Amino acid sequence: MTTTQADPITIALAQLPVTKAAVDDNLQTHLAYIERAAAQGANVVAFPALSLTGYELALLSQLAMPRDDVTFAMLTAAAVASNTVVFAGCPLHNPNGKPYIAAVICFPSGEHTFYLKQHLHEGEDTYCTPGHESGLINVNGTRIALAICADFIHPSHSAIAAAQQPDVYLASALISPGGYANDAELLAAIAKRHQLPVLLTSLRQ
């Protein structure tokens, strides 16, 4: 029996400054980072949680973007132009209630889709709704499981992801300086438990 090996890929983890609620300004920063990462050979460019708006729970409803928002079209155009897969954090409009904390995933094919954060931090349910579907993306044969912030705190999330046999567990988050040591320990435990590389990109405001 023969097996097909995945082509090696390079994943760029973008640590960028974000301006509160300034979607257009933050988008321009994203586009510059995508171009820079692609020039250095990245196949994937991953941004932190809520990277397009900042972590602004009280403003989440007014900042929430429809699935056909022009911001997503511009990120997708950048994915096409740079031949990269782009993950960016956003509040996503929910026609049935409070918005989602989401990641938009833009492909070189010109398509985009979304992963919705499944596990909310205490108090977030006042402002947003959890998602219920796991996120798994295939990039040149490399299977990437997605997590947003509190997702990785819950062992069930990484266990369900691991059952899908990913090659990488990719987490986007907002981690305060005081919380980094604990969260790094949690992520290291996920890597050890499931024998997976675990990557983190975290928002700084």
Side-chain angles (χ1 to χ4, degrees), residues 55-199:
Y55 187 77
E56 306 295 339
L57 289 182
L59 300 177
L60 212 64
S61 289
Q62 68 185 71
L63 293 172
M65 305 171 183
R67 290 175 180 259
D68 60 352
D69 195 276
V70 67
T71 301
F72 303 144
M74 293 180 70
L75 286 170
T76 302
V80 173
S82 61
N83 194 33
T84 60
V85 177
V86 175
F87 301 88
C90 60
L92 187 66
H93 176 69
N94 174 10
N96 299 313
K98 290 174 284 191
Y100 301 104
I101 294 176
V104 60
I105 307 152
C106 306
F107 298 96
S109 64
E111 300 174 321
H112 72 269
T113 187
F114 299 92
Y115 169 70
L116 311 180
K117 180 179 179 179
Q118 298 177 63
H119 298 278
L120 302 180
H121 285 294
E122 184 178 354
E124 286 184 341
D125 57 352
T126 300
Y127 302 98
C128 52
T129 300
H132 300 288
E133 296 183 7
S134 59
L136 187 71
I137 303 299
N138 190 313
V139 181
N140 298 344
T142 295
R143 294 161 62 85
I144 303 173
L146 305 179
I148 298 177
C149 219
D151 283 343
F152 66 76
I153 295 173
H154 296 263
S156 61
H157 185 274
S158 56
I160 291 169
Q164 296 177 296
Q165 299 183 314
D167 300 293
V168 179
Y169 186 79
L170 174 59
S172 62
L174 166 62
I175 299 177
S176 66
Y180 180 79
N182 182 66
D183 285 341
E185 187 175 323
L186 287 172
L187 291 166
I190 290 171
K192 182 176 181 180
R193 184 183 313 119
H194 300 296
Q195 292 298 289
L196 277 174
V198 173
L199 304 180

